[in-house]
Amino acid sequence: MSSVTSAPLGDTVRRLSSEERREQILRAALAVFGARGYVGTTTDEVAKAAGVSQPYVVRLFGSKESLFLAALAMALEDLLAAFRAALEKDGDLPPTTRIGRAYVDLLRVRGLHQTLAHAYLLGGHPVIGPAARRGFAQVWRFFREEAGMDVDEAHRHMAEGMLISTMIGLRLVDDYDGDDSISEIFQSCFPTQLTHVLEMIPRGDEPW
Amino acid sequence: MSSVTSAPLGDTVRRLSSEERREQILRAALAVFGARGYVGTTTDEVAKAAGVSQPYVVRLFGSKESLFLAALAMALEDLLAAFRAALEKDGDLPPTTRIGRAYVDLLRVRGLHQTLAHAYLLGGHPVIGPAARRGFAQVWRFFREEAGMDVDEAHRHMAEGMLISTMIGLRLVDDYDGDDSISEIFQSCFPTQLTHVLEMIPRGDEPW
DNA sequence: GTCTATACCAAGATAGAC
DNA sequence: GTCTATCTTGGTATAGAC
Protein backbone atom coordinates (compact mmCIF):
# COMPACT_ATOMS: atom_id res chain seq x y z
CA MET A 1 0.00 0.00 0.00
CA SER A 2 0.84 3.69 -0.43
CA SER A 3 3.73 3.32 -2.82
CA VAL A 4 4.17 6.73 -4.43
CA THR A 5 4.59 6.28 -8.14
CA SER A 6 3.08 9.25 -9.88
CA ALA A 7 3.86 12.23 -7.66
CA PRO A 8 6.82 14.14 -9.08
CA LEU A 9 9.80 14.67 -6.77
CA GLY A 10 10.22 18.00 -5.08
CA ASP A 11 6.53 18.68 -4.52
CA THR A 12 6.12 20.37 -1.17
CA VAL A 13 2.47 19.55 -0.58
CA ARG A 14 2.19 16.76 -3.05
CA ARG A 15 -1.08 15.26 -4.06
CA LEU A 16 -1.62 11.82 -2.73
CA SER A 17 -1.75 8.75 -4.88
CA SER A 18 -5.25 7.46 -5.33
CA GLU A 19 -4.29 4.43 -3.26
CA GLU A 20 -3.46 6.66 -0.32
CA ARG A 21 -6.62 8.69 -0.80
CA ARG A 22 -8.72 5.55 -0.95
CA GLU A 23 -7.36 4.39 2.38
CA GLN A 24 -7.87 7.80 3.95
CA ILE A 25 -11.42 8.08 2.68
CA LEU A 26 -12.24 4.53 3.71
CA ARG A 27 -11.14 5.23 7.28
CA ALA A 28 -13.35 8.32 7.36
CA ALA A 29 -16.21 6.39 5.79
CA LEU A 30 -15.96 3.65 8.40
CA ALA A 31 -16.31 6.18 11.20
CA VAL A 32 -19.27 7.94 9.62
CA PHE A 33 -21.08 4.80 8.51
CA GLY A 34 -20.67 3.45 12.00
CA ALA A 35 -22.20 6.50 13.60
CA ARG A 36 -25.01 7.12 11.12
CA GLY A 37 -25.65 3.83 9.35
CA TYR A 38 -25.61 3.20 5.63
CA VAL A 39 -28.60 5.27 4.60
CA GLY A 40 -28.01 7.93 7.24
CA THR A 41 -24.54 8.67 5.97
CA THR A 42 -24.07 11.32 3.34
CA THR A 43 -21.15 11.16 0.97
CA ASP A 44 -20.62 14.80 1.87
CA GLU A 45 -20.06 14.03 5.53
CA VAL A 46 -17.55 11.36 4.59
CA ALA A 47 -15.83 13.83 2.30
CA LYS A 48 -15.65 16.44 5.04
CA ALA A 49 -14.25 13.92 7.50
CA ALA A 50 -11.61 12.94 4.95
CA GLY A 51 -10.88 16.51 3.93
CA VAL A 52 -11.82 16.15 0.26
CA SER A 53 -14.75 17.25 -1.86
CA GLN A 54 -17.97 15.28 -2.08
CA PRO A 55 -17.84 14.60 -5.82
CA TYR A 56 -14.37 13.27 -5.37
CA VAL A 57 -15.35 10.50 -3.03
CA VAL A 58 -18.07 9.47 -5.46
CA ARG A 59 -15.59 9.66 -8.30
CA LEU A 60 -13.13 7.45 -6.50
CA PHE A 61 -15.59 4.77 -5.43
CA GLY A 62 -18.24 4.97 -8.11
CA SER A 63 -21.19 5.23 -5.75
CA LYS A 64 -22.11 5.40 -2.09
CA GLU A 65 -23.04 1.75 -2.25
CA SER A 66 -19.60 0.66 -3.44
CA LEU A 67 -18.04 2.91 -0.85
CA PHE A 68 -19.97 1.06 1.84
CA LEU A 69 -19.02 -2.31 0.43
CA ALA A 70 -15.37 -1.28 0.44
CA ALA A 71 -15.58 -0.02 4.01
CA LEU A 72 -17.29 -3.23 5.06
CA ALA A 73 -14.61 -5.33 3.39
CA MET A 74 -11.91 -3.33 5.11
CA ALA A 75 -13.60 -3.74 8.48
CA LEU A 76 -13.75 -7.50 8.01
CA GLU A 77 -10.10 -7.66 6.98
CA ASP A 78 -9.09 -5.66 10.04
CA LEU A 79 -11.22 -7.88 12.23
CA LEU A 80 -9.88 -11.16 10.98
CA ALA A 81 -6.31 -9.86 10.93
CA ALA A 82 -6.64 -8.84 14.57
CA PHE A 83 -8.12 -12.23 15.46
CA ARG A 84 -5.34 -14.09 13.68
CA ALA A 85 -2.69 -11.97 15.35
CA ALA A 86 -4.26 -12.65 18.74
CA LEU A 87 -4.36 -16.33 18.00
CA GLU A 88 -0.74 -16.60 16.95
CA LYS A 89 0.77 -14.41 19.62
CA ASP A 90 1.29 -16.72 22.57
CA GLY A 91 0.72 -15.63 26.14
CA ASP A 92 -0.54 -16.82 29.46
CA LEU A 93 -4.19 -16.33 28.53
CA PRO A 94 -6.07 -19.00 26.58
CA PRO A 95 -6.40 -18.29 22.82
CA THR A 96 -10.13 -17.84 23.14
CA THR A 97 -9.71 -15.11 25.71
CA ARG A 98 -7.05 -13.39 23.59
CA ILE A 99 -9.50 -13.24 20.71
CA GLY A 100 -12.11 -11.63 22.92
CA ARG A 101 -9.60 -9.03 24.05
CA ALA A 102 -8.63 -8.33 20.48
CA TYR A 103 -12.26 -7.66 19.64
CA VAL A 104 -12.50 -5.04 22.34
CA ASP A 105 -9.17 -3.51 21.33
CA LEU A 106 -10.60 -2.95 17.87
CA LEU A 107 -12.52 -0.11 19.47
CA ARG A 108 -9.60 2.02 18.38
CA VAL A 109 -10.64 1.50 14.78
CA ARG A 110 -13.43 4.08 14.74
CA GLY A 111 -16.72 2.76 13.48
CA LEU A 112 -15.63 -0.82 12.92
CA HIS A 113 -18.02 -2.57 15.29
CA GLN A 114 -20.92 -0.29 14.47
CA THR A 115 -20.46 -0.54 10.72
CA LEU A 116 -20.44 -4.32 10.95
CA ALA A 117 -23.55 -4.23 13.10
CA HIS A 118 -25.29 -1.92 10.65
CA ALA A 119 -24.36 -4.15 7.75
CA TYR A 120 -25.75 -7.14 9.62
CA LEU A 121 -29.11 -5.42 9.88
CA LEU A 122 -29.28 -4.78 6.15
CA GLY A 123 -30.00 -8.35 5.17
CA GLY A 124 -32.88 -7.22 3.00
CA HIS A 125 -30.67 -5.02 0.83
CA PRO A 126 -30.08 -6.61 -2.58
CA VAL A 127 -26.33 -6.06 -2.62
CA ILE A 128 -25.30 -5.24 0.93
CA GLY A 129 -27.33 -8.13 2.32
CA PRO A 130 -25.38 -10.90 0.59
CA ALA A 131 -22.05 -9.23 1.39
CA ALA A 132 -22.99 -8.95 5.05
CA ARG A 133 -24.01 -12.60 5.20
CA ARG A 134 -20.74 -13.68 3.64
CA GLY A 135 -18.83 -11.61 6.20
CA PHE A 136 -20.78 -13.02 9.11
CA ALA A 137 -20.25 -16.58 7.91
CA GLN A 138 -16.55 -15.84 7.46
CA VAL A 139 -16.20 -14.87 11.11
CA TRP A 140 -18.05 -17.98 12.17
CA ARG A 141 -15.73 -20.10 10.06
CA PHE A 142 -12.72 -18.45 11.62
CA PHE A 143 -13.96 -19.38 15.08
CA ARG A 144 -14.68 -22.93 14.08
CA GLU A 145 -11.87 -23.79 11.73
CA GLU A 146 -8.95 -21.56 12.63
CA ALA A 147 -9.52 -20.91 16.31
CA GLY A 148 -10.71 -24.46 16.85
CA MET A 149 -13.78 -23.61 18.87
CA ASP A 150 -16.64 -26.07 19.14
CA VAL A 151 -20.13 -24.98 18.09
CA ASP A 152 -21.09 -23.91 21.56
CA GLU A 153 -18.00 -21.84 22.14
CA ALA A 154 -18.25 -20.17 18.75
CA HIS A 155 -21.88 -19.43 19.47
CA ARG A 156 -21.06 -17.79 22.78
CA HIS A 157 -18.34 -15.67 21.24
CA MET A 158 -20.64 -14.50 18.47
CA ALA A 159 -23.34 -13.60 20.97
CA GLU A 160 -20.89 -11.77 23.18
CA GLY A 161 -19.61 -9.86 20.17
CA MET A 162 -23.11 -8.79 19.18
CA LEU A 163 -23.80 -7.56 22.69
CA ILE A 164 -20.59 -5.55 22.78
CA SER A 165 -21.28 -3.99 19.38
CA THR A 166 -24.75 -3.09 20.53
CA MET A 167 -23.49 -1.33 23.61
CA ILE A 168 -21.00 0.66 21.57
CA GLY A 169 -23.62 1.67 19.02
CA LEU A 170 -26.09 2.54 21.76
CA ARG A 171 -23.50 4.81 23.37
CA LEU A 172 -24.52 3.31 26.66
CA VAL A 173 -21.57 5.07 28.25
CA ASP A 174 -23.44 8.32 27.95
CA ASP A 175 -25.58 7.20 30.85
CA TYR A 176 -22.88 5.26 32.61
CA ASP A 177 -22.67 7.57 35.61
CA GLY A 178 -26.35 8.24 36.14
CA ASP A 179 -27.84 4.78 35.97
CA ASP A 180 -26.97 1.90 38.23
CA SER A 181 -28.27 -0.81 35.94
CA ILE A 182 -26.15 0.56 33.13
CA SER A 183 -22.92 0.59 35.06
CA GLU A 184 -23.82 -2.93 36.15
CA ILE A 185 -24.19 -4.27 32.63
CA PHE A 186 -21.11 -2.38 31.54
CA GLN A 187 -19.01 -4.00 34.18
CA SER A 188 -20.33 -7.40 33.32
CA CYS A 189 -19.30 -6.88 29.70
CA PHE A 190 -15.83 -5.52 30.35
CA PRO A 191 -14.69 -7.09 33.60
CA THR A 192 -11.00 -6.67 32.81
CA GLN A 193 -10.75 -3.83 30.31
CA LEU A 194 -13.26 -1.40 31.77
CA THR A 195 -11.07 1.67 32.22
CA HIS A 196 -9.46 1.16 28.87
CA VAL A 197 -12.86 0.86 27.20
CA LEU A 198 -14.28 3.92 28.90
CA GLU A 199 -11.41 5.92 27.43
CA MET A 200 -11.76 4.66 23.89
CA ILE A 201 -15.49 4.55 23.41
CA PRO A 202 -17.29 7.27 21.43
CA ARG A 203 -19.39 9.64 23.52
CA GLY A 204 -22.46 11.72 22.89
CA ASP A 205 -20.55 14.95 22.43
CA GLU A 206 -18.43 13.65 19.57
CA PRO A 207 -20.21 12.71 16.36
CA TRP A 208 -18.20 9.48 16.09
CA MET B 1 -58.17 0.48 22.90
CA SER B 2 -60.29 0.89 19.76
CA SER B 3 -63.49 2.10 21.37
CA VAL B 4 -65.57 3.60 18.59
CA THR B 5 -66.92 6.94 19.68
CA SER B 6 -67.10 9.21 16.66
CA ALA B 7 -68.25 7.01 13.79
CA PRO B 8 -71.99 7.42 13.20
CA LEU B 9 -74.12 4.28 13.35
CA GLY B 10 -75.16 2.64 10.11
CA ASP B 11 -71.99 3.33 8.21
CA THR B 12 -71.20 0.38 6.02
CA VAL B 13 -67.48 1.01 5.55
CA ARG B 14 -67.01 3.30 8.46
CA ARG B 15 -63.87 5.32 8.92
CA LEU B 16 -61.71 4.11 11.69
CA SER B 17 -61.18 6.04 14.86
CA SER B 18 -57.79 7.64 15.01
CA GLU B 19 -56.90 5.22 17.77
CA GLU B 20 -57.49 2.29 15.46
CA ARG B 21 -55.59 3.95 12.65
CA ARG B 22 -52.68 4.70 14.93
CA GLU B 23 -52.41 1.06 15.88
CA GLN B 24 -52.69 -0.07 12.27
CA ILE B 25 -50.06 2.39 11.08
CA LEU B 26 -47.76 1.56 13.96
CA ARG B 27 -47.84 -2.12 13.07
CA ALA B 28 -46.97 -1.28 9.48
CA ALA B 29 -44.27 1.11 10.63
CA LEU B 30 -42.68 -1.54 12.82
CA ALA B 31 -42.39 -3.90 9.88
CA VAL B 32 -40.92 -1.29 7.56
CA PHE B 33 -38.56 0.26 10.11
CA GLY B 34 -37.33 -3.23 10.91
CA ALA B 35 -36.56 -4.02 7.30
CA ARG B 36 -35.10 -0.67 6.26
CA GLY B 37 -33.93 1.06 9.40
CA TYR B 38 -34.92 4.48 10.64
CA VAL B 39 -33.35 6.62 7.92
CA GLY B 40 -33.97 4.06 5.20
CA THR B 41 -37.69 4.02 5.82
CA THR B 42 -39.90 6.41 3.91
CA THR B 43 -43.16 7.57 5.39
CA ASP B 44 -44.63 6.71 2.01
CA GLU B 45 -43.67 3.06 2.31
CA VAL B 46 -45.23 2.93 5.77
CA ALA B 47 -48.35 4.58 4.38
CA LYS B 48 -48.58 2.07 1.55
CA ALA B 49 -48.12 -0.83 3.95
CA ALA B 50 -50.89 0.55 6.12
CA GLY B 51 -53.15 1.40 3.21
CA VAL B 52 -53.36 5.15 3.83
CA SER B 53 -51.83 8.21 2.22
CA GLN B 54 -48.35 9.48 3.06
CA PRO B 55 -49.41 12.91 4.35
CA TYR B 56 -51.86 11.20 6.63
CA VAL B 57 -49.27 9.24 8.52
CA VAL B 58 -47.28 12.42 9.00
CA ARG B 59 -50.43 14.20 10.09
CA LEU B 60 -51.23 11.55 12.64
CA PHE B 61 -47.80 11.31 14.20
CA GLY B 62 -46.38 14.76 13.60
CA SER B 63 -43.14 13.61 12.04
CA LYS B 64 -41.24 10.54 10.99
CA GLU B 65 -39.18 10.85 14.13
CA SER B 66 -42.20 10.69 16.43
CA LEU B 67 -43.53 7.80 14.40
CA PHE B 68 -40.33 5.90 15.06
CA LEU B 69 -40.42 6.72 18.75
CA ALA B 70 -43.98 5.46 18.94
CA ALA B 71 -43.11 2.26 17.11
CA LEU B 72 -40.13 1.73 19.38
CA ALA B 73 -42.27 2.24 22.47
CA MET B 74 -44.82 -0.24 21.17
CA ALA B 75 -42.11 -2.79 20.45
CA LEU B 76 -40.79 -2.48 23.99
CA GLU B 77 -44.25 -2.83 25.47
CA ASP B 78 -44.89 -5.95 23.40
CA LEU B 79 -41.53 -7.35 24.44
CA LEU B 80 -41.96 -6.80 28.13
CA ALA B 81 -45.56 -7.96 28.06
CA ALA B 82 -44.48 -11.21 26.39
CA PHE B 83 -41.70 -11.66 28.94
CA ARG B 84 -44.04 -11.08 31.86
CA ALA B 85 -46.60 -13.48 30.45
CA ALA B 86 -43.90 -16.12 30.01
CA LEU B 87 -42.73 -15.56 33.54
CA GLU B 88 -46.15 -15.88 35.11
CA LYS B 89 -47.41 -18.80 33.10
CA ASP B 90 -46.11 -21.84 34.93
CA GLY B 91 -44.86 -24.93 33.15
CA ASP B 92 -42.28 -27.62 33.30
CA LEU B 93 -39.54 -25.44 31.84
CA PRO B 94 -37.56 -23.07 34.06
CA PRO B 95 -38.71 -19.42 33.91
CA THR B 96 -35.49 -18.35 32.26
CA THR B 97 -36.02 -20.79 29.41
CA ARG B 98 -39.62 -19.69 29.02
CA ILE B 99 -38.45 -16.11 28.56
CA GLY B 100 -36.02 -17.18 25.87
CA ARG B 101 -38.78 -19.00 24.04
CA ALA B 102 -41.03 -15.97 24.31
CA TYR B 103 -38.34 -13.87 22.67
CA VAL B 104 -38.21 -16.18 19.68
CA ASP B 105 -42.00 -16.37 19.49
CA LEU B 106 -42.04 -12.59 19.08
CA LEU B 107 -40.86 -13.27 15.56
CA ARG B 108 -44.54 -13.18 14.69
CA VAL B 109 -44.59 -9.49 15.45
CA ARG B 110 -43.07 -8.33 12.17
CA GLY B 111 -40.09 -6.05 12.55
CA LEU B 112 -39.95 -6.09 16.34
CA HIS B 113 -36.48 -7.52 16.82
CA GLN B 114 -34.99 -5.62 13.90
CA THR B 115 -36.50 -2.29 14.91
CA LEU B 116 -35.10 -2.68 18.40
CA ALA B 117 -31.71 -3.57 16.97
CA HIS B 118 -31.79 -0.56 14.68
CA ALA B 119 -32.73 1.71 17.54
CA TYR B 120 -29.86 0.32 19.56
CA LEU B 121 -27.44 1.37 16.85
CA LEU B 122 -28.72 4.92 16.83
CA GLY B 123 -27.11 5.94 20.10
CA GLY B 124 -25.68 9.07 18.48
CA HIS B 125 -29.10 10.39 17.51
CA PRO B 126 -30.14 13.29 19.76
CA VAL B 127 -33.64 12.01 20.45
CA ILE B 128 -33.70 8.36 19.41
CA GLY B 129 -30.45 7.66 21.23
CA PRO B 130 -31.72 8.44 24.73
CA ALA B 131 -34.99 6.58 24.09
CA ALA B 132 -33.10 3.53 22.91
CA ARG B 133 -30.85 3.58 25.97
CA ARG B 134 -33.85 3.80 28.27
CA GLY B 135 -35.43 0.85 26.51
CA PHE B 136 -32.30 -1.24 26.71
CA ALA B 137 -31.89 -0.48 30.41
CA GLN B 138 -35.53 -1.35 30.97
CA VAL B 139 -35.02 -4.83 29.57
CA TRP B 140 -31.95 -5.30 31.71
CA ARG B 141 -33.91 -4.25 34.77
CA PHE B 142 -36.65 -6.71 33.91
CA PHE B 143 -34.13 -9.54 33.81
CA ARG B 144 -32.54 -8.52 37.07
CA GLU B 145 -35.47 -7.37 39.15
CA GLU B 146 -38.54 -9.15 37.86
CA ALA B 147 -37.10 -12.35 36.46
CA GLY B 148 -34.62 -12.61 39.31
CA MET B 149 -31.57 -13.35 37.19
CA ASP B 150 -28.10 -12.69 38.52
CA VAL B 151 -25.76 -10.43 36.59
CA ASP B 152 -24.19 -13.27 34.69
CA GLU B 153 -27.45 -14.81 33.66
CA ALA B 154 -28.91 -11.48 32.57
CA HIS B 155 -25.76 -10.82 30.60
CA ARG B 156 -26.01 -14.12 28.78
CA HIS B 157 -29.65 -13.56 27.93
CA MET B 158 -28.92 -10.11 26.58
CA ALA B 159 -26.08 -11.43 24.45
CA GLU B 160 -28.19 -14.27 23.15
CA GLY B 161 -30.94 -11.83 22.29
CA MET B 162 -28.58 -9.62 20.34
CA LEU B 163 -27.28 -12.59 18.37
CA ILE B 164 -30.78 -13.72 17.51
CA SER B 165 -31.81 -10.24 16.41
CA THR B 166 -28.72 -10.03 14.25
CA MET B 167 -29.46 -13.28 12.52
CA ILE B 168 -33.01 -12.17 11.79
CA GLY B 169 -31.88 -8.81 10.45
CA LEU B 170 -29.16 -10.44 8.38
CA ARG B 171 -31.73 -12.76 6.84
CA LEU B 172 -29.26 -15.53 7.34
CA VAL B 173 -31.99 -17.98 6.37
CA ASP B 174 -31.60 -16.89 2.79
CA ASP B 175 -28.39 -18.88 2.65
CA TYR B 176 -29.52 -21.59 5.04
CA ASP B 177 -29.57 -24.36 2.46
CA GLY B 178 -26.42 -23.49 0.55
CA ASP B 179 -23.94 -22.96 3.33
CA ASP B 180 -22.95 -25.51 5.93
CA SER B 181 -21.57 -23.04 8.43
CA ILE B 182 -24.81 -21.11 8.29
CA SER B 183 -27.04 -24.05 8.98
CA GLU B 184 -24.66 -24.91 11.79
CA ILE B 185 -24.96 -21.56 13.51
CA PHE B 186 -28.69 -21.57 12.91
CA GLN B 187 -29.11 -24.87 14.64
CA SER B 188 -27.02 -23.75 17.56
CA CYS B 189 -29.26 -20.71 18.00
CA PHE B 190 -32.59 -22.48 17.74
CA PRO B 191 -32.01 -26.00 19.00
CA THR B 192 -35.65 -26.56 19.92
CA GLN B 193 -37.67 -24.19 17.76
CA LEU B 194 -35.86 -24.52 14.45
CA THR B 195 -38.74 -25.59 12.21
CA HIS B 196 -41.02 -23.06 13.78
CA VAL B 197 -38.46 -20.31 13.24
CA LEU B 198 -37.77 -21.24 9.64
CA GLU B 199 -41.46 -20.81 8.95
CA MET B 200 -41.83 -17.43 10.59
CA ILE B 201 -38.68 -15.65 9.58
CA PRO B 202 -38.69 -13.02 6.82
CA ARG B 203 -37.06 -14.15 3.58
CA GLY B 204 -35.31 -12.38 0.75
CA ASP B 205 -38.30 -12.44 -1.55
CA GLU B 206 -40.58 -10.59 0.84
CA PRO B 207 -39.67 -7.01 1.69
CA TRP B 208 -40.37 -7.64 5.39
C1' DG C 1 -5.76 13.93 -8.82
C1' DT C 2 -9.05 17.18 -7.32
C1' DC C 3 -12.26 20.99 -7.44
C1' DT C 4 -16.68 23.95 -8.55
C1' DA C 5 -21.01 24.11 -10.41
C1' DT C 6 -25.11 21.96 -11.20
C1' DA C 7 -28.70 18.60 -12.78
C1' DC C 8 -31.89 15.73 -10.92
C1' DC C 9 -34.56 13.06 -7.93
C1' DA C 10 -36.53 11.48 -3.66
C1' DA C 11 -38.68 12.31 0.47
C1' DG C 12 -40.77 14.96 4.57
C1' DA C 13 -43.84 18.25 5.48
C1' DT C 14 -47.71 21.72 4.63
C1' DA C 15 -52.14 23.60 2.60
C1' DG C 16 -56.41 22.98 1.89
C1' DA C 17 -60.44 20.45 -0.10
C1' DC C 18 -63.95 16.92 0.90
C1' DG D 1 -60.73 11.32 9.32
C1' DT D 2 -58.50 11.25 4.97
C1' DC D 3 -57.05 12.65 0.42
C1' DT D 4 -54.55 15.30 -3.61
C1' DA D 5 -51.46 18.63 -4.82
C1' DT D 6 -47.40 20.89 -3.93
C1' DC D 7 -43.53 23.30 -1.62
C1' DT D 8 -38.79 22.65 -0.05
C1' DT D 9 -34.77 20.59 1.24
C1' DG D 10 -31.10 17.86 0.92
C1' DG D 11 -28.35 14.50 -1.19
C1' DT D 12 -26.23 11.49 -5.17
C1' DA D 13 -24.24 11.76 -9.17
C1' DT D 14 -22.42 14.06 -13.55
C1' DA D 15 -19.91 17.61 -16.40
C1' DG D 16 -16.14 19.75 -17.07
C1' DA D 17 -12.32 22.94 -15.72
C1' DC D 18 -7.63 23.20 -13.67
Side-chain angles (χ1 to χ4, degrees), chain B residues 16 18 21 53 55-56:
Chain B
L16 302 174
S18 71
R21 275 293 188 220
S53 72
Y56 189 49

Coordinates of all heavy atoms in Angstrom, one line a residue, chain B residues 16 18 21 53 55-56, chain D residues 1-6:
Chain B
L16 N -62.2 4.6 10.4 CA -61.7 4.1 11.7 C -61.5 5.3 12.6 O -61.2 6.4 12.2 CB -60.4 3.4 11.5 CG -60.5 2.2 10.5 CD1 -59.1 1.6 10.3 CD2 -61.4 1.1 11.1
S18 N -59.2 7.4 15.2 CA -57.8 7.6 15.0 C -57.0 6.7 15.9 O -55.9 6.4 15.6 CB -57.5 9.1 15.3 OG -57.6 9.4 16.7
R21 N -56.5 3.7 13.7 CA -55.6 3.9 12.7 C -54.2 4.0 13.2 O -53.2 3.5 12.6 CB -55.9 5.3 12.0 CG -56.9 5.2 10.9 CD -56.4 4.5 9.7 NE -57.3 4.6 8.6 CZ -57.6 3.6 7.8 NH1 -57.1 2.4 8.0 NH2 -58.5 3.8 6.8
S53 N -52.7 7.3 3.0 CA -51.8 8.2 2.2 C -50.6 8.7 3.1 O -50.7 8.8 4.3 CB -52.6 9.4 1.7 OG -52.9 10.3 2.8
P55 N -49.2 11.7 3.5 CA -49.4 12.9 4.4 C -50.2 12.6 5.6 O -50.0 13.2 6.6 CB -50.2 13.9 3.5 CG -49.8 13.5 2.1 CD -49.7 12.0 2.1
Y56 N -51.0 11.5 5.5 CA -51.9 11.2 6.6 C -51.0 10.6 7.8 O -51.3 10.9 8.9 CB -53.0 10.3 6.2 CG -54.0 10.1 7.3 CD1 -54.5 11.2 8.0 CD2 -54.4 8.8 7.7 CE1 -55.4 11.0 9.0 CE2 -55.3 8.6 8.7 CZ -55.8 9.7 9.4 OH -56.7 9.6 10.4
Chain D
dG1 P -60.6 11.4 14.2 OP1 -60.5 10.2 15.0 OP2 -59.7 12.6 14.2 O5' -61.1 11.2 12.7 C5' -61.7 10.0 12.4 C4' -61.5 9.8 10.9 O4' -61.8 11.1 10.2 C3' -60.1 9.4 10.5 O3' -60.4 8.4 9.5 C2' -59.5 10.6 9.9 C1' -60.7 11.3 9.3 N9 -60.7 12.8 9.2 C8 -60.3 13.7 10.2 N7 -60.3 14.9 9.8 C5 -60.8 14.8 8.4 C6 -61.0 15.8 7.4 O6 -60.9 17.1 7.6 N1 -61.5 15.3 6.2 C2 -61.6 14.0 6.0 N2 -62.1 13.6 4.8 N3 -61.4 13.0 6.9 C4 -61.0 13.5 8.1
dT2 P -59.2 7.5 8.9 OP1 -59.8 6.2 8.4 OP2 -58.1 7.5 9.8 O5' -58.8 8.3 7.6 C5' -59.7 8.2 6.4 C4' -59.2 9.1 5.3 O4' -59.3 10.5 5.8 C3' -57.7 9.0 5.0 O3' -57.6 8.3 3.7 C2' -57.2 10.4 4.9 C1' -58.5 11.2 5.0 N1 -58.3 12.6 5.6 C2 -58.6 13.7 4.8 O2 -59.0 13.6 3.7 N3 -58.3 14.9 5.4 C4 -57.8 15.1 6.7 O4 -57.6 16.2 7.1 C5 -57.6 13.9 7.4 C7 -57.0 14.0 8.8 C6 -57.8 12.7 6.9
dC3 P -56.2 8.2 2.9 OP1 -56.2 6.8 2.3 OP2 -55.1 8.6 3.8 O5' -56.4 9.3 1.8 C5' -57.7 9.3 1.1 C4' -57.7 10.4 0.1 O4' -57.9 11.6 0.9 C3' -56.5 10.6 -0.7 O3' -56.7 10.5 -2.1 C2' -55.9 12.0 -0.3 C1' -57.1 12.6 0.4 N1 -56.4 13.4 1.6 C2 -56.4 14.8 1.6 O2 -56.9 15.4 0.6 N3 -55.8 15.4 2.6 C4 -55.2 14.7 3.6 N4 -54.6 15.4 4.6 C5 -55.3 13.3 3.6 C6 -55.9 12.6 2.6
dT4 P -55.4 10.4 -3.0 OP1 -55.7 9.4 -4.1 OP2 -54.2 10.3 -2.2 O5' -55.4 11.9 -3.7 C5' -56.6 12.6 -4.1 C4' -56.2 13.9 -4.6 O4' -55.9 14.8 -3.5 C3' -54.9 13.9 -5.5 O3' -55.1 14.9 -6.5 C2' -53.8 14.3 -4.5 C1' -54.6 15.3 -3.6 N1 -54.0 15.3 -2.2 C2 -53.8 16.6 -1.6 O2 -54.0 17.6 -2.2 N3 -53.3 16.5 -0.4 C4 -53.0 15.4 0.3 O4 -52.6 15.4 1.5 C5 -53.3 14.1 -0.3 C7 -53.0 12.8 0.4 C6 -53.8 14.1 -1.6
dA5 P -54.0 15.1 -7.7 OP1 -54.7 15.4 -8.9 OP2 -53.0 14.1 -7.6 O5' -53.3 16.5 -7.2 C5' -54.2 17.6 -6.7 C4' -53.3 18.7 -6.3 O4' -52.9 18.6 -4.9 C3' -52.0 18.9 -7.1 O3' -51.8 20.3 -7.3 C2' -51.0 18.2 -6.2 C1' -51.5 18.6 -4.8 N9 -51.0 17.7 -3.7 C8 -50.9 16.4 -3.8 N7 -50.5 15.8 -2.7 C5 -50.2 16.9 -1.9 C6 -49.8 17.0 -0.5 N6 -49.4 16.0 0.2 N1 -49.7 18.3 0.0 C2 -50.0 19.3 -0.8 N3 -50.5 19.4 -2.0 C4 -50.6 18.1 -2.5
dT6 P -50.5 20.7 -8.2 OP1 -51.0 21.9 -8.9 OP2 -49.9 19.6 -8.9 O5' -49.5 21.2 -7.1 C5' -50.0 22.1 -6.0 C4' -48.9 22.3 -5.0 O4' -48.8 21.1 -4.1 C3' -47.5 22.5 -5.6 O3' -46.9 23.5 -5.0 C2' -46.8 21.2 -5.3 C1' -47.4 20.9 -3.9 N1 -47.2 19.5 -3.4 C2 -46.9 19.3 -2.1 O2 -46.7 20.2 -1.3 N3 -46.7 18.0 -1.7 C4 -46.9 16.9 -2.5 O4 -46.8 15.7 -2.1 C5 -47.3 17.2 -3.9 C7 -47.6 16.0 -4.8 C6 -47.5 18.4 -4.3

